[in-house]
Amino acid sequence: MFENMRLLVLMVLALPLIAALVVAVLGSRNRVAVRWIALAAVLVNLALTGVLTANVASTLTQKAQLSGQILHEQTKATFEPEAVPGEIEPSRRTSWNLFEIPIPSADGRTASIQLYLGVDGLNIWLILLTSLLMVPCVLVSWESIKDRANEFYAWLLLLQFAMLGVFLAFDIIVFYVFFELTLVPLFFLIGIWGGPSRREAARKFFLYTLAGSLFTLLGLIGLVLVCKEKSGELTFSIPKLTEVVQHQLSIQDGLIKNLNDELANPAARTGEISGKAKEFAADLGSRVHFWRTAQVAIFLALTLGFAIKVPLFPLHTWLPLAHVEAPTAGSVLLAGVLLKLGSYGFLRLCLPLVPDASLSIGMPLIGTLACIGIIYGAFCAFAQTDIKKMVAYSSVSHMGFCVLGLFALNAAGITGSLMQMINHGLSTGGLFLLVGMLYERFHTRMMPDFGGLAARLKLLSLAMIVVCLSSVGMPFLNGFIGEMMVLAGVMELPCPSCAMAFGVVGAAGIVLGAWYLFTMLQRVFFGPLKEPHHDPNQGPVTDLNFREIAALLPILAACLFIGIYPQPLLDAIKRDVAVVSRIANDARVRSEQVEAIQPVLDRILAKPAESR
Amino acid sequence: MIPLSNYLIVGAILFVLGMIGFLTRRNLILMFLSAEMMLQGVAINLVAFSRHHGNLHGQVFTLFIITVAACESAIALALILMLYRQRQSLDVSLWQDLREPGQEPALDLDEPPPSIEEKLADPKLIPAGIEPARPREDSYD
Amino acid sequence: MIDNPNILVWLIPALPLVSAVITALLGSRVLKSYSHVPTVAAAAGSCVLSVLLLLGLALLDGQQSLQLKIDGFKWFSTHVLPGDAPLRFGALDIRFNLQVDSLTAVMLIAITFVGTFIAVFSSGYMHGDPGYPRFFAIMSLFLFSMTGLVLADNFLVLYAFWEGVGLCSYLLVVFWFQKPSAAAAARKAFLVTRLGDAGMILGIMLLWARFGNSLDFDTVFGQAALAGESSVLTLACLLLFCGAVGKSAQFPLHVWLPDAMEGPTPASALIHAATMVTAGVYLVARCSRLFALSPTAQLVVACIGGVTALLGALIALTQTDLKRVLAYSTISQLGYMFLGLGAGLIKDKLIVFAVAAAIFHLFTHAFFKALLFLSAGSVMHGMGHVIDMRRLGGLRKVMPITHWSFLCGAVALAGLIPFSGFWSKDEILEAVLQAGEHSDAHNTVYLVLFATALITAALTAFYTFRAYFKTFWGELRIPDEAYHHGHSTPHDHAEPNDHQANDDRQKSFESPSSMTLPLVVLAIGALFVGLIFEGATHWMGDFLAKSAVFVQFHGYTPEHGFDWLMFGLSMLCAAGGVGLAAWMYLVKPGIADTVASALKPAYNLSLNRFWFDEIYALLIVAPLTLFATVCRLFDSIVDGIVDLVGLLPRQLARGLQPIQNGLVQFYALVTVVFVAAFVIVFALWIRQ
């Protein structure tokens, strides 16, 4: 059974790539064949992903119940991906080397970049989300993409390949390669099939995110080198790196303990500081200094790329442009999945690998930016007249929520944030789909052109209302769960005034979200019927057809399911959330200890200088 | 026994001659020949060192160079032929299309490049020392 | 039935939910004009079950608190792992449990009983509307949410249903979505209440974070009681109260309720008068154990209640739209309830009596206000959807049943003895007076509030009867729409469908029996529930005192007797109000205009609702919109900076452009020069 899962991971990843190649080769004349093949590919992939996630979810749930002691045990917490293709070894390597680096590691083996794929609690639902959103993407492009359809679907499928690759990767380099690879298909999707100023949008999107992710690469390399420097082991595996970092930081914890013990010695009370204490202090001082500097530098480098991808407040301007110009399928994937690459990067790399910096500068800096983004994005969304642009800005606001939850650095916040990633993918994906359907009918997206559409397009309006409700966090729809958990996480921050401030911003975001979405509903769907001028030859505008309903239904069903019964999802993710929150918790404890011991340290380390 | 340095000097002279030829001649075929001459200079060096060290490594390299140069010349001459068919001239200054947009083409005032004219015959290699006959034009763009 | 009450309790919200799903799925295809059947059946079923539940609770012996806890399923939990984790952060662990105590039971009766008859009424009122199935689907959904709200046993589930009723309110206000005013009103209602809800969810999360990482009522209350009074607790209470202020349309968030009258009248009766708006009162009552720990929060509740009561009454004095009068009256009466809740703390002890009085007023109010709204709906139905009192008059002759039912509601609302409103209002007055006499700190405030409440009582009687006289007495005035609109609907089988009968001024405009039957039932309720449940028996107070909320608060119960002074004062106010209304609108009909012109500024202030909408538009909406525009402009600046960064390398490159001249030999030369330079430098470096 488990072997099958390993195979399935590879199939899930490879199928879009193969389908992309097939579709590309078919040529632009076989438009009908091309889209049926694409549809078949995404449906089969959805089925495979469904089987995979269902199986892994049950394994993860069992594992979470069995390994209740993970938070107690002395071994350091790290990710343990399931269904890893290739043989997984205890040293957290797989046997599938992509590229060997001729530097022998501590255990005498050469380090190598590996095809290390796997599924764990952090990525399992994101993988399913990616596969799920592909179905509406193909369906919504069915009629609207007329020229070069084969290329379009090929890029779309390649994009799916890249996105799945990012989520599945457990090797830092493979992660980065896929992370960058997502840019290429989307660049072409926007640049070829986009709106009037698609080229500018594609260029800006590409360059902006590329510029950011180069810093991320720098950070990743820096991280690998720092770990090599300190532990003597060159590795690119994320679980292994997490372990190494944890181990290194725990040495620091041990030193603090030793120093305290030494100082508590009766001998030390006389005022004399023993040589041992000095030794400990010197070691500790250098370690603290090293890790603080290194972590801050790595954190900032990693953050820049992820923050642009999310996008956080001052770095968001590529997003509205890209969204407005992108074809509907591109927008759906951009909002639904690609933005999550940023927050997922924070979760997978920043929090576990540079926990101290995530705590010391991540929470104040990124948290504040996220807060500004929540409010600012909402206000910008309100001021838009283009519905698609409004939805794009609402993404800025909602993703701010995601990031805020992450940097609350506790279980509730992280779980909420992870759920919010899924929820935002579903609800914003749905919004973009519906806006695309409106555009296909009327060839405009300007709110003033519309009015009272509920009378004409009953099903579309109903779907829009449901998706808006899910987006504003109506209970029993998906948004609610995530928002509540994020708010809870934020309110639990140790500093009461920060908790209150962040909480107020979060709550304000909830109100503002309702403000712009309901204003849009009022203007576009309610009131007297007002249709934009459209070609009279095409006859009256019709309501959703079967294909469009089929595109929307999976999203709406998922929204409802998550809203009513989210526990299976939460059960699957909780083990790995526990890992991350334990790491964050350790960082909190460590920062307090370091702060407490800093004066002592300064005193001890200053003494020799004076005596000299 | 002729010392190593003599060989090297010959090789260097060949190389520099070739280089100067490549940089100054405007005839594509002559440029190509100059490039070949540079290769020969390098080959002499390799052979000389091969003898100096008493092994065959350099000889092997030289054999490779000769082979590669043969292939190269086939391709290069074919390319030159194609270029000639487009412009009916072997003047390299007719091919400046890779310059930045908005940039004026470089123009040798003493010797302006030929105008392009219908001319179907393949070019002939003229005897050395005699200036090639070619159509003259007042201006080009 | 109390042997296995679990299923019974689950059925109370489940029946409307099932009905909502059935109506939504089958309504427009299968059920069509029978779409009301599932809703009426479900509401009636829930009502019967609620009555059984109430009886079951009431018949249980003993003085101990009565609470049923029904275990449900785990909704969601961020509980990371089994076993207590040594993390210092707790988990959000939400179980979908229900609880029933006397407070819930009383609320359930009010919701389902009134709901049932309003559903019956709607089947007549909404007949022939194209959205007939939609109306009943939302109505059922509302009943589900509302019953769920009062059955919830933790804050988050309560909040979920709280949002659910808000959503149903939105959907019902926007029911006739072609009307721009309805669309605007719905949005306003949703956003204003959501403003309060944001405060509420903050309060809930604050409670969760600070009091034991749990959201179960019992745990939170217990933890808070252990922690004692603190500023965090006061803050949490005030934030919770924000939610109540929004939902129950209290000052300063009361502005949405009058606009919400754009919805169909039965919806107004159910949601915006009888049940949803009282959710805030229920919330504060449910959290009495929290509010009891914070005198400040109590005082704020009382003050907001008092101010709202007076404000609502003052505005209601001059409104010309019958439904608006009733809406402001609702605001005012809800203020009354909060006044009662706010008076529930004397000498650090929770006064069960005060909270019970508020809930009792809620209960009676549900009956008589629903009745008044339905009567107004009946008037609208007969008069072709005209509700402007200036265009109506003397309707008692043409709509006798509606007239009598409105009168019943009016006497109950005015608080004339021995009708319902009197008993509940009297208790609240008494509670406030008690607080004024015995409270340690804020005596004066409570005494002022008592005076305010008395004035409000008089005003209430006045505006109620003003509306009554203007609509049902005087000369007969029937708007033209009545002839075209009201009777062209196909359900008036009782009468000949006579379009040409414009001159037939004396014909009956009475509504069909499906509408008058609920009126009669509710009228009986409005007249007598007060007397039966409290006035004669004190049953309600005793029953509510057994609620789990008050389990630890039997400390201080003031004497429960009949206070003659209070009776005199309140009767004087009510009778004075009624008398004045009769004199001004019945005996000397011209005098109202004289008074209005004499008190021009005051009259305008009231007529224009103290300009609240205008002030909010100017002070809040306009700045926010402006800020949004500023944000949009600022965004282009941010984008401009990005473009500027992009421009930098482009300008740099422009300087290097001439190098790319396309000459092969030039490129070769550059290569040669640099290789030569490199070789020379390298050779020199080697030599060193």
Side-chain angles (χ1 to χ4, degrees):
Chain A
M1 193 63 206
F2 204 66
E3 289 304 316
N4 293 345
M5 287 304 116
R6 290 176 176 177
L7 197 62
L8 212 52
V9 169
L10 281 182
M11 281 163 70
V12 163
L13 185 61
L15 184 66
L17 184 63
I18 296 167
L21 291 175
V22 170
V23 163
V25 165
L26 270 179
S28 55
R29 291 202 193 129
N30 300 318
R31 185 168 145 232
V32 177
V34 159
R35 47 190 200 192
W36 279 108
I37 289 174
L39 182 63
V42 294
L43 282 177
V44 170
N45 207 31
L46 178 60
L48 293 180
T49 318
V51 173
L52 174 69
T53 46
N55 271 299
V56 175
S58 71
T59 318
L60 285 171
T61 310
Q62 285 166 12
K63 215 164 144 187
Q65 278 156 6
L66 289 176
S67 64
Q69 72 279 21
I70 181 149
L71 297 163
H72 299 286
E73 70 194 16
Q74 283 305 304
T75 56
K76 286 295 159 186
T78 186
F79 306 117
E80 283 173 15
E82 301 290 326
V84 178
E87 207 56 45
I88 186 165
E89 295 170 18
S91 58
R92 306 213 189 290
R93 299 158 176 273
T94 72
S95 52
W96 288 14
N97 292 353
L98 289 176
F99 180 75
E100 223 160 275
I101 291 170
I103 301 172
S105 171
D107 57 356
R109 293 173 34 167
T110 51
S112 40
I113 295 162
Q114 296 173 314
L115 187 66
Y116 190 175
L117 306 174
V119 183
D120 76 348
L122 300 188
N123 62 15
I124 176 166
W125 302 121
L126 290 167
I127 294 165
L128 189 59
L129 175 74
T130 311
S131 292
L132 183 74
L133 281 182
M134 279 306 288
V135 178
C137 283
V138 170
L139 285 174
V140 83
S141 314
W142 206 254
E143 298 291 340
S144 59
I145 301 301
K146 295 218 159 59
D147 52 335
R148 301 164 81 177
N150 66 320
E151 289 176 47
F152 180 85
Y153 289 108
W155 286 126
L156 207 59
L157 288 161
L158 189 67
L159 184 58
Q160 188 190 11
F161 167 70
M163 294 185 304
L164 287 173
V166 180
F167 290 135
L168 287 170
F170 275 85
D171 185 284
I172 223 162
I173 302 296
V174 174
F175 173 90
Y176 182 76
V177 168
F178 278 117
F179 191 76
E180 291 293 80
L181 187 60
T182 55
L183 298 186
V184 181
L186 201 60
F187 174 74
F188 288 110
L189 285 175
I190 296 175
I192 299 176
W193 292 274
S197 53
R198 54 184 179 269
R199 276 157 212 242
E200 195 208 333
R203 192 176 62 222
K204 189 178 233 173
F205 155 74
F206 190 88
L207 289 181
Y208 207 149
T209 44
L210 182 75
S213 40
L214 287 179
F215 283 95
T216 302
L217 178 63
L218 218 60
L220 293 177
I221 293 172
L223 182 75
V224 169
L225 293 182
V226 163
C227 286
K228 161 108 172 61
E229 165 104 17
K230 281 290 156 184
S231 73
E233 184 168 2
L234 185 64
T235 178
F236 297 95
S237 132
I238 294 173
K240 183 74 191 167
L241 279 171
T242 313
E243 217 168 78
V244 168
V245 169
Q246 287 298 298
H247 180 65
Q248 290 299 318
L249 293 176
S250 73
I251 293 176
Q252 190 176 314
D253 295 345
L255 278 173
I256 291 174
K257 191 168 171 296
N258 287 348
L259 184 59
N260 276 332
D261 289 351
E262 198 61 36
L263 290 175
N265 251 1
R269 296 228 180 91
T270 56
E272 279 292 303
I273 295 161
S274 67
K276 224 176 178 182
K278 277 181 192 158
E279 211 173 277
F280 286 145
D283 195 6
L284 182 63
S286 70
R287 272 178 187 278
V288 167
H289 179 72
F290 176 82
W291 281 106
R292 190 179 287 158
T293 328
Q295 286 205 18
V296 167
I298 293 169
F299 179 82
L300 288 178
L302 289 178
T303 293
L304 197 58
F306 296 146
I308 288 175
K309 204 80 170 193
V310 166
L312 283 179
F313 156 61
L315 308 172
H316 65 277
T317 51
W318 62 271
L319 182 78
L321 189 63
H323 266 313
V324 169
E325 298 301 329
T328 303
S331 291
V332 171
L333 288 180
L334 182 56
V337 185
L338 281 161
L339 300 190
K340 273 86 218 172
L341 299 186
S343 46
Y344 177 73
F346 277 125
L347 179 56
R348 175 70 85 198
L349 297 174
C350 278
L351 262 47
L353 296 179
V354 280
D356 296 337
S358 298
L359 181 71
S360 64
I361 56 169
M363 201 170 61
L365 178 73
I366 308 295
T368 310
L369 286 182
C371 280
I372 296 175
I374 291 173
I375 301 292
Y376 180 81
F379 274 105
C380 282
F382 180 78
Q384 303 303 324
T385 48
D386 183 334
I387 306 177
K388 209 171 179 186
K389 213 163 184 179
M390 184 206 81
V391 181
Y393 276 107
S394 84
S395 289
V396 176
S397 184
H398 281 127
M399 289 310 288
F401 228 89
C402 266
V403 174
L404 187 61
L406 279 184
F407 282 95
L409 296 174
N410 50 37
I414 294 169
T415 314
S417 172
L418 199 51
M419 288 310 288
Q420 199 63 358
M421 289 184 210
I422 313 286
N423 296 338
H424 177 258
L426 291 171
S427 53
T428 309
L431 279 174
F432 275 121
L433 279 179
L434 286 161
V435 174
M437 289 169 187
L438 265 187
Y439 186 76
E440 222 174 297
R441 284 172 172 71
F442 298 108
H443 301 288
T444 175
R445 290 185 304 249
M446 292 297 157
M447 277 188 233
D449 295 345
F450 294 110
L453 291 185
R456 173 56 57 86
L457 305 167
K458 288 202 174 62
L459 285 175
L460 196 147
S461 313
L462 182 67
M464 187 61 122
I465 290 172
V466 174
V467 173
C468 281
L469 289 176
S470 129
S471 191
V472 301
M474 191 51 61
F476 308 115
L477 288 171
N478 55 353
F480 180 72
I481 311 289
E483 273 177 8
M484 287 308 108
M485 291 191 288
V486 168
L487 261 186
V490 165
M491 289 301 279
E492 227 192 352
L493 286 174
C495 136
S497 49
C498 325
M500 210 53 213
F502 285 165
V504 167
V505 169
I510 295 178
V511 177
L512 292 174
W515 186 40
Y516 56 75
L517 281 174
F518 278 72
T519 305
M520 185 275 287
L521 282 182
Q522 183 201 345
R523 285 192 202 160
V524 175
F525 291 95
F526 302 139
L529 181 64
K530 176 178 160 197
E531 283 180 280
H533 184 74
H534 66 280
D535 192 3
N537 298 332
Q538 291 177 348
V541 170
T542 51
D543 207 352
L544 297 183
N545 57 31
F546 178 71
R547 173 177 59 80
E548 287 167 326
I549 293 174
L552 285 169
L553 218 52
I555 291 182
L556 296 181
C559 285
L560 205 60
F561 177 77
I562 296 178
I564 292 172
Y565 193 48
Q567 198 52 41
L569 276 73
L570 297 173
D571 280 339
I573 67 179
K574 66 184 176 186
R575 188 198 168 274
D576 292 274
V577 167
V579 169
V580 179
S581 51
R582 167 171 167 178
I583 291 171
N585 200 54
D586 288 353
R588 270 207 176 96
V589 174
R590 191 178 314 119
S591 87
E592 277 167 18
Q593 285 177 345
V594 167
E595 206 161 292
I597 209 157
Q598 195 68 48
V600 182
L601 215 55
D602 289 344
R603 207 181 66 225
I604 298 175
L605 293 177
K607 277 239 167 105
E610 281 166 23
S611 63
R612 218 182 292 153
Chain B
M1 178 135 173
I2 305 163
L4 178 65
S5 56
N6 291 17
Y7 291 104
L8 295 188
I9 287 166
V10 173
I13 288 171
L14 271 179
F15 185 85
V16 171
L17 276 178
M19 193 174 79
I20 290 169
F22 186 83
L23 290 178
T24 53
R25 301 307 295 253
R26 272 161 56 182
N27 187 302
L28 279 168
I29 292 176
L30 283 175
M31 281 169 71
F32 169 68
L33 288 178
S34 306
E36 287 293 314
M37 195 139 81
M38 288 160 76
L39 272 184
Q40 300 319 314
V42 175
I44 286 179
N45 269 11
L46 288 171
V47 175
F49 275 113
S50 171
R51 174 139 176 92
H52 178 71
H53 290 305
N55 61 23
L56 288 176
H57 294 178
Q59 308 268 13
V60 172
F61 270 120
T62 310
L63 281 176
F64 265 102
I65 286 176
I66 291 167
T67 322
V68 171
C71 304
E72 236 174 63
S73 55
I75 294 167
L77 287 171
L79 285 173
I80 289 169
L81 190 63
M82 296 314 291
L83 291 175
Y84 180 81
R85 285 200 173 148
Q86 298 234 330
R87 299 271 159 96
Q88 276 74 47
S89 166
L90 285 171
D91 194 330
V92 75
S93 59
L94 284 173
W95 299 94
Q96 302 189 21
D97 299 343
L98 279 180
R99 67 180 181 275
E100 279 286 300
Q103 198 80 333
E104 283 295 309
L107 196 59
D108 187 355
L109 290 177
D110 303 334
E111 195 72 55
S115 74
I116 301 153
E117 200 182 274
E118 289 297 315
K119 203 172 176 188
L120 293 168
D122 285 347
K124 290 195 181 79
L125 190 62
I126 46 111
I130 301 174
E131 200 187 319
R134 58 188 173 195
R136 287 180 182 271
E137 273 292 323
D138 295 322
S139 70
Y140 84 103
D141 40 31
Chain C
M1 65 286 166
I2 208 75
D3 300 334
N4 187 12
N6 289 15
I7 297 168
L8 190 143
V9 175
W10 277 110
L11 276 179
I12 294 174
L15 286 177
L17 178 64
V18 170
S19 142
V21 172
I22 290 175
T23 317
L25 291 181
L26 304 178
S28 53
R29 302 261 167 76
V30 183
L31 295 171
K32 287 174 185 160
S33 64
Y34 294 100
S35 297
H36 61 274
V37 175
T39 306
V40 173
S46 292
C47 183
V48 171
L49 292 174
S50 306
V51 172
L52 290 178
L53 200 63
L54 183 89
L55 288 177
L57 280 179
L59 293 178
L60 278 181
D61 274 341
Q63 295 299 310
Q64 86 278 25
S65 77
L66 300 172
Q67 193 179 23
L68 283 178
K69 284 197 165 286
I70 292 109
D71 212 25
F73 60 95
K74 186 194 266 178
W75 188 15
F76 63 94
S77 146
T78 63
H79 211 83
V80 278
L81 289 172
D84 273 326
L87 300 179
R88 76 182 79 170
F89 297 107
L92 192 61
D93 202 353
I94 306 300
R95 290 192 63 82
F96 215 106
N97 296 347
L98 303 183
Q99 57 81 36
V100 183
D101 63 357
S102 50
L103 179 58
T104 299
V106 169
M107 289 296 291
L108 278 178
I109 295 285
I111 295 160
T112 54
F113 186 82
V114 175
T116 307
F117 287 99
I118 290 177
V120 173
F121 181 89
S122 315
S123 70
Y125 186 85
M126 298 302 291
H127 199 99
D129 193 283
Y132 195 67
R134 180 159 53 98
F135 180 85
F136 283 100
I138 304 171
M139 199 83 152
S140 288
L141 194 64
F142 172 78
L143 285 173
F144 160 67
S145 304
M146 195 66 209
T147 47
L149 194 157
V150 295
L151 283 166
D153 100 320
N154 75 50
F155 276 106
L156 207 74
V157 175
L158 182 139
Y159 179 75
F161 284 116
W162 182 276
E163 290 287 308
V165 290
L167 168 67
C168 295
S169 155
Y170 172 81
L171 291 175
L172 282 176
V173 175
V174 82
F175 184 76
W176 287 309
F177 56 81
Q178 292 91 342
K179 273 164 63 184
S181 55
R187 183 184 72 126
K188 183 173 173 185
F190 193 83
L191 290 182
V192 173
T193 49
R194 200 134 224 252
L195 204 59
D197 296 351
M200 179 174 163
I201 191 63
L202 267 183
I204 291 176
M205 288 305 167
L206 193 66
L207 285 177
W208 174 77
R210 301 283 172 247
F211 298 106
N213 283 142
S214 170
L215 281 173
D216 289 345
F217 288 135
D218 293 341
T219 322
V220 172
F221 296 157
Q223 291 280 339
L226 282 181
E229 190 187 341
S230 65
S231 56
V232 173
L233 186 68
T234 303
L235 182 62
C237 283
L238 289 178
L239 285 170
L240 283 179
F241 184 57
C242 277
V245 166
K247 197 61 97 191
S248 296
Q250 294 297 289
F251 170 82
L253 298 180
H254 63 278
V255 288
W256 65 271
L257 188 61
D259 290 22
M261 297 299 126
E262 291 291 342
T265 307
S268 306
L270 180 60
I271 297 182
H272 305 123
T275 55
M276 185 192 85
V277 288
T278 60
V281 180
Y282 169 76
L283 175 72
V284 176
R286 174 61 68 196
C287 300
S288 295
R289 284 172 69 183
L290 281 184
F291 282 81
L293 296 168
S294 168
T296 323
Q298 280 274 347
L299 188 69
V300 170
V301 172
C303 288
I304 295 277
V307 168
T308 313
L310 186 63
L311 191 74
L314 283 176
I315 298 176
L317 288 181
T318 56
Q319 298 303 307
T320 54
D321 180 324
L322 182 55
K323 275 181 83 179
R324 289 263 150 80
V325 173
L326 294 177
Y328 279 108
S329 157
T330 307
I331 292 174
S332 170
Q333 295 302 307
L334 290 165
Y336 239 91
M337 295 174 208
F338 280 110
L339 188 55
L341 290 170
L345 191 62
I346 296 176
K347 298 191 182 22
D348 289 338
K349 293 240 170 64
L350 182 72
I351 306 304
V352 177
F353 171 64
V355 179
I359 295 297
F360 179 49
H361 193 53
L362 185 162
F363 187 71
T364 56
H365 177 259
F367 283 88
F368 61 71
K369 193 48 72 64
L371 173 66
L372 284 169
F373 264 104
L374 292 187
S375 305
S378 178
V379 169
M380 281 176 84
H381 189 259
M383 295 297 122
H385 286 270
V386 171
I387 195 65
D388 191 336
M389 288 190 290
R390 286 169 300 193
R391 297 180 59 195
L392 302 171
L395 296 184
R396 71 183 191 282
K397 290 176 193 129
V398 292
M399 305 183 86
I401 303 177
T402 307
H403 161 241
W404 279 109
S405 61
F406 194 95
L407 182 60
C408 291
V411 292
L413 173 58
L416 292 173
I417 191 161
F419 307 115
S420 312
F422 166 77
W423 302 103
S424 48
K425 195 178 287 188
D426 199 51
E427 287 195 352
I428 288 180
L429 285 173
E430 198 174 320
V432 179
L433 189 61
Q434 292 276 359
E437 284 169 354
H438 301 295
S439 167
D440 326 327
H442 309 290
N443 284 354
T444 352
V445 182
Y446 279 111
L447 285 177
V448 170
L449 286 174
F450 175 71
T452 315
L454 269 184
I455 296 167
T456 308
L459 293 175
T460 307
F462 175 78
Y463 68 68
T464 313
F465 275 86
R466 167 181 173 267
Y468 168 70
F469 289 131
K470 282 188 88 157
T471 312
F472 292 100
W473 291 74
E475 65 173 290
L476 186 65
R477 267 178 297 175
I478 293 170
D480 296 337
E481 287 91 330
Y483 300 102
H484 304 302
H485 186 102
H487 287 253
S488 60
T489 43
H491 57 273
D492 268 343
H493 305 300
E495 293 174 302
N497 208 345
D498 195 355
H499 288 277
Q500 275 74 45
N502 280 11
D503 50 349
D504 182 14
R505 293 268 154 182
Q506 288 305 317
K507 77 170 191 172
S508 172
F509 286 87
E510 191 52 88
S511 302
S513 58
S514 62
M515 289 165 69
T516 48
L517 173 76
L519 289 181
V520 173
V521 174
L522 286 175
I524 295 169
L527 291 179
F528 301 119
V529 282
L531 189 65
I532 296 168
F533 284 112
E534 180 73 19
T537 59
H538 293 309
W539 178 84
M540 182 74 99
D542 297 339
F543 182 59
L544 280 173
K546 289 184 199 167
S547 161
V549 175
F550 310 118
V551 60
Q552 293 162 356
F553 292 94
H554 283 303
Y556 188 95
T557 314
E559 65 194 77
H560 217 65
F562 197 73
D563 188 340
W564 283 102
L565 174 71
M566 179 70 69
F567 169 72
L569 269 176
S570 100
M571 270 322 289
L572 193 69
C573 288
V578 174
L580 192 65
W583 183 62
M584 277 172 71
Y585 294 98
L586 208 59
V587 182
K588 290 193 171 181
I591 204 160
D593 295 332
T594 327
V595 174
S597 52
L599 299 170
K600 195 84 187 159
Y603 178 78
N604 276 341
L605 197 64
S606 165
L607 186 65
N608 292 306
R609 307 136 192 203
F610 288 71
W611 283 286
F612 268 111
D613 283 323
E614 288 78 5
I615 291 169
Y616 285 172
L618 195 70
L619 289 187
I620 297 171
V621 181
L624 285 181
T625 318
L626 188 71
F627 183 64
T629 317
V630 169
C631 277
R632 196 181 65 176
L633 295 179
F634 180 72
D635 206 53
S636 51
I637 296 176
V638 176
D639 198 27
I641 293 170
V642 174
D643 285 343
L644 212 64
V645 173
L647 217 59
L648 214 67
R650 192 174 287 188
Q651 289 303 331
L652 269 176
R654 201 144 286 167
L656 291 171
Q657 238 178 7
I659 299 175
Q660 302 288 329
N661 59 5
L663 279 176
V664 182
Q665 284 160 317
F666 180 75
Y667 295 161
L669 182 64
V670 172
T671 314
V672 167
V673 166
F674 277 92
V675 168
F678 175 75
V679 167
I680 289 164
V681 170
F682 189 69
L684 289 176
W685 184 65
I686 288 285
R687 180 161 293 184
Q688 275 176 356

